[in-house]
Amino acid sequence: MSRQQLAVQRARKSFQTGKTKPLESRIHQLRNLLRFVTERRKDIAEAVKKDLSKSEHGTELFETLGVEGEIKLAIEKLAEWAAPRPVEKSLLTVSDEVFVHPEPLGVVLIIGAWNYPWAVTLQPLVGAIAAGNAAVIKPSEVCCHSAKVMEELLPRYLDKDLYPVVTGGVPETQELLRQRFDHIFYTGSSTVGKLVMEAAARNLTPVTLELGGKSPCYIDKNCDITVACRRITWGKFVNCGQTCIAPDYVLCEPSIQSRVQEEIKNCIKEFYTDDPKTFEDYGRIINKRHFKRIMALMEGSTVVVGGDSDESQCYIAPTVLKNVTGESKVMKEEIFGPLLPIITVSGVDEAIQFINEREKPLVIYVFSNENKLIKRVIAETSSGALLANDCLVHFTVSSLPFGGVGHSGMGCYHGRYGFDQLSHMRSCLIKQLKMEGVNSMRYPPHTAKKLGWARFFLLKQINLGRLRRMMLLAMFVGVASFVVQVKKLLRQLSLLISVIIISKHSQEISVHTGQCSKSG
């Protein structure tokens, strides 16, 4: 039996003991994961530095900070997420208990990516643990130092049977994919995503595919171009352009192209100095294979900013390209590097058409002061997400689902969405052994009269929330009416008492007047 088979077998056997079901057990593992991230921050930063030449502060900002936030949110909200979820009833089930019960799927395979080796591996793990699953963790072999740290240190904090770390290259991953899992969560390229999905299909295993694609960025000529280019420069060149949601290319009108180029050039200098090669916060391409791939993409385009490179260091400077068309080599695949092509269009109409002629991207970026234009892009395009007037930051919002559509992926995660993605939403109905007279409509013989009653009871939905609100409103109206009637009665009673008092007082005056007359 292979090492991969043993890991999966141990995870499944451990899951079948039921120890992941109690919420206290899940919270305990989540707290241990949080302890790992905080206590081993230095080990993580050193590994990422060796893999991607990323600075310590950059690692914390883009790798571990988000993981910490996801863990804390899961601990805080787990009881709410895992609670039964009541649903609307029909008249036939109005007296029954009807709800959705989230339950663990089983054993999940998490295959991480190399560009953010910690964030995109541990964040899905948070969802898997919160949902009560066991998980086999496969870090990317491309980031070998991060994979080694994960393999050596993570089992010291998490249950090593429930959450084994399996390292290795393509053969080891292929062996893992031959095993049966209850869900596979893969982050990476569309090419490998297809192979993962094909392997999963053999066991009817559902998948979450976090892929990528060419995310466009449209700049409206009437927006604040200086601010727009500043945010685009940051979003494009962070992590040396190796970000799945980085702006892949810019669409703008010819009248603003020169200014866009100049503004981006100024921002590159501001962010990374005159010599990005020596700047601590500018990283490197992951390896020479990707270095050569990215350099080849520049063929046929004109470099207007940057273009410097050093193969020995896998260094490519932040680069802006012009004279790019939809048929250019750089437009044939996701760039995943520090090249930013600028393509000119006549306006938003042509930009929308250009986007829609291609595969659905992971995100569309729009920079405009006009809310109407932004809403139009939302209405007339499709993508995993749409972000207006900024880049990347939607990834940090746990209340937004993060994921692709079509060629850019399927499924989503972050916050509650990660919990739901890795849970089975079990339909539950608990009926009493009473009211058999009502149930008789479904028993043979079936008649027109029974069908009529069935149509009424089955098709009439009962919104209990609305019913409660109506009952409360009715009670409020009833109480208000009662109070009004009481007030009216009190007024009448007060008036009656006043009349009695006046009448009595009048009688006393009459008597007194009579007595005086007799005395006279």
Side-chain angles (χ1 to χ4, degrees), residues 227-267:
V227 173
C229 290
R230 186 178 177 82
R231 295 177 183 180
I232 292 166
T233 302
W234 171 76
K236 176 62 183 182
F237 298 112
V238 70
N239 199 33
C240 211
Q242 299 167 120
T243 305
C244 61
I245 51 174
D248 193 87
Y249 59 94
V250 166
L251 297 171
C252 68
E253 294 185 33
S255 60
I256 63 170
Q257 181 182 7
S258 296
R259 187 175 170 200
V260 167
Q261 292 168 186
E262 193 61 31
E263 292 287 355
I264 292 174
K265 180 181 178 180
N266 294 337
C267 290

Side-chain angles (χ1 to χ4, degrees), residues 1 41 43 63 95 107 154 176 181 194 200 209 256 273 304 327 387 398 427:
M1 190 176 290
R41 189 175 281 118
D43 297 289
E63 295 277 6
S95 63
V107 182
L154 195 57
L176 274 175
F181 290 94
K194 292 175 184 177
L209 301 178
I256 63 170
T273 74
V304 290
E327 299 305 311
L387 182 54
S398 294
S427 301

Side-chain angles (χ1 to χ4, degrees), residues 62-351:
F62 294 106
E63 295 277 6
T64 58
L65 206 59
V67 175
E68 288 181 45
E70 285 286 306
I71 297 171
K72 289 176 181 177
L73 179 67
I75 291 171
E76 178 189 348
K77 298 286 189 179
L78 184 56
E80 176 188 327
W81 295 347
R85 305 176 188 183
V87 298
E88 291 184 8
K89 304 178 184 180
S90 67
L91 281 173
L92 191 64
T93 59
V94 69
S95 63
D96 304 329
E97 193 176 352
V98 186
F99 57 94
V100 174
H101 175 66
E103 65 175 16
L105 289 171
V107 182
V108 176
L109 172 61
I110 298 171
I111 304 176
W114 55 261
N115 58 327
Y116 292 93
W118 296 91
V120 299
T121 305
L122 296 188
Q123 285 198 20
L125 179 61
V126 173
I129 295 173
N133 300 295
V136 176
I137 305 150
K138 171 60 180 68
S140 172
E141 71 280 5
V142 178
C143 275
C144 56
H145 299 94
S146 293
K148 185 178 180 183
V149 170
M150 202 177 293
E151 180 185 33
E152 291 179 355
L153 299 183
L154 195 57
R156 300 184 191 180
Y157 292 82
L158 297 182
D159 186 309
K160 62 184 178 181
D161 291 327
L162 280 171
Y163 311 107
V165 179
V166 177
T167 57
V170 174
E172 288 78 12
T173 305
Q174 289 174 335
E175 178 62 25
L176 274 175
L177 290 171
R178 280 191 278 270
Q179 313 309 310
R180 187 178 71 80
F181 290 94
D182 300 290
H183 196 98
I184 296 175
F185 196 113
Y186 168 76
T187 303
S189 69
S190 300
T191 302
V192 179
K194 292 175 184 177
L195 298 175
V196 170
M197 195 170 182
E198 183 182 347
R202 288 194 286 268
N203 291 307
L204 295 178
T205 300
V207 297
T208 300
L209 301 178
E210 295 295 339
L211 308 177
K214 297 184 74 63
S215 296
C217 178
Y218 175 69
I219 305 176
D220 179 24
K221 66 179 179 181
N222 296 318
C223 77
D224 188 328
I225 294 175
T226 300
V227 173
C229 290
R230 186 178 177 82
R231 295 177 183 180
I232 292 166
T233 302
W234 171 76
K236 176 62 183 182
F237 298 112
V238 70
N239 199 33
C240 211
Q242 299 167 120
T243 305
C244 61
I245 51 174
D248 193 87
Y249 59 94
V250 166
L251 297 171
C252 68
E253 294 185 33
S255 60
I256 63 170
Q257 181 182 7
S258 296
R259 187 175 170 200
V260 167
Q261 292 168 186
E262 193 61 31
E263 292 287 355
I264 292 174
K265 180 181 178 180
N266 294 337
C267 290
I268 290 171
K269 183 177 179 179
E270 178 189 349
F271 294 165
Y272 303 111
T273 74
D274 287 321
D275 187 9
K277 188 176 182 181
T278 61
F279 190 64
E280 183 186 22
D281 276 321
Y282 188 73
R284 296 293 184 268
I285 304 303
I286 185 65
N287 56 34
K288 290 188 177 182
R289 181 173 69 85
H290 281 281
F291 173 89
K292 291 176 181 177
R293 179 189 64 81
I294 295 166
M295 291 299 294
L297 293 178
M298 287 194 275
E299 293 175 11
S301 301
T302 304
V303 175
V304 290
V305 178
D308 299 334
S309 64
D310 183 346
E311 185 175 351
S312 66
Q313 292 189 26
C314 289
Y315 166 79
I316 301 175
T319 299
V320 179
L321 304 174
K322 71 173 184 177
N323 296 331
V324 179
T325 69
E327 299 305 311
S328 298
K329 192 171 182 180
V330 74
M331 293 301 295
K332 294 302 183 183
E333 62 180 81
E334 182 179 6
I335 297 169
F336 223 65
L339 310 182
L340 182 60
I342 298 178
I343 299 175
T344 57
V345 291
S346 58
V348 68
D349 291 338
E350 189 179 348

Side-chain angles (χ1 to χ4, degrees), residues 237-508:
F237 298 112
V238 70
N239 199 33
C240 211
Q242 299 167 120
T243 305
C244 61
I245 51 174
D248 193 87
Y249 59 94
V250 166
L251 297 171
C252 68
E253 294 185 33
S255 60
I256 63 170
Q257 181 182 7
S258 296
R259 187 175 170 200
V260 167
Q261 292 168 186
E262 193 61 31
E263 292 287 355
I264 292 174
K265 180 181 178 180
N266 294 337
C267 290
I268 290 171
K269 183 177 179 179
E270 178 189 349
F271 294 165
Y272 303 111
T273 74
D274 287 321
D275 187 9
K277 188 176 182 181
T278 61
F279 190 64
E280 183 186 22
D281 276 321
Y282 188 73
R284 296 293 184 268
I285 304 303
I286 185 65
N287 56 34
K288 290 188 177 182
R289 181 173 69 85
H290 281 281
F291 173 89
K292 291 176 181 177
R293 179 189 64 81
I294 295 166
M295 291 299 294
L297 293 178
M298 287 194 275
E299 293 175 11
S301 301
T302 304
V303 175
V304 290
V305 178
D308 299 334
S309 64
D310 183 346
E311 185 175 351
S312 66
Q313 292 189 26
C314 289
Y315 166 79
I316 301 175
T319 299
V320 179
L321 304 174
K322 71 173 184 177
N323 296 331
V324 179
T325 69
E327 299 305 311
S328 298
K329 192 171 182 180
V330 74
M331 293 301 295
K332 294 302 183 183
E333 62 180 81
E334 182 179 6
I335 297 169
F336 223 65
L339 310 182
L340 182 60
I342 298 178
I343 299 175
T344 57
V345 291
S346 58
V348 68
D349 291 338
E350 189 179 348
I352 289 172
Q353 181 182 348
F354 190 91
I355 293 167
N356 288 340
E357 287 172 350
R358 286 152 181 80
E359 297 288 356
K360 295 179 181 180
L362 190 53
V363 58
I364 293 174
Y365 296 109
V366 185
F367 285 83
S368 176
N369 292 324
E370 296 181 25
N371 199 49
K372 186 178 179 181
L373 185 147
I374 294 169
K375 293 294 177 65
R376 184 184 168 194
V377 177
I378 292 174
E380 297 183 19
T381 62
S382 179
S383 59
L386 183 137
L387 182 54
N389 298 324
D390 210 341
C391 292
L392 313 188
V393 295
H394 64 294
F395 184 84
T396 67
V397 184
S398 294
S399 53
L400 285 175
F402 181 81
V405 58
H407 201 69
S408 57
M410 61 183 68
C412 59
Y413 69 123
H414 283 185
R416 182 170 183 157
Y417 298 98
F419 175 90
D420 289 354
Q421 185 75 35
L422 297 175
S423 297
H424 168 57
M425 296 299 162
R426 191 178 192 183
S427 301
C428 298
L429 189 151
I430 302 175
K431 185 178 278 291
Q432 302 296 321
L433 292 171
K434 300 175 182 178
M435 299 176 66
E436 190 63 8
V438 175
N439 291 325
S440 64
M441 73 179 73
R442 63 189 179 184
Y443 301 143
H446 299 128
T447 64
K449 184 178 180 181
K450 285 186 176 182
L451 179 61
W453 280 111
R455 183 178 294 277
F456 176 74
F457 277 98
L458 290 173
L459 299 184
K460 189 68 176 176
Q461 294 293 315
I462 303 296
N463 188 326
L464 291 180
R466 186 180 178 189
L467 191 61
R468 289 191 199 100
R469 290 193 295 273
M470 290 177 65
M471 289 174 65
L472 285 171
L473 181 61
M475 287 174 60
F476 177 77
V477 170
V479 169
S481 178
F482 175 74
V483 169
V484 168
Q485 292 298 324
V486 168
K487 283 184 176 181
K488 187 176 179 181
L489 186 63
L490 287 173
R491 279 197 301 269
Q492 291 175 346
L493 185 61
S494 176
L495 184 61
L496 181 62
I497 291 170
S498 298
V499 169
I500 293 172
I501 291 171
I502 292 170
S503 176
K504 186 177 180 182
H505 187 61
S506 297
Q507 289 176 2
E508 288 176 351

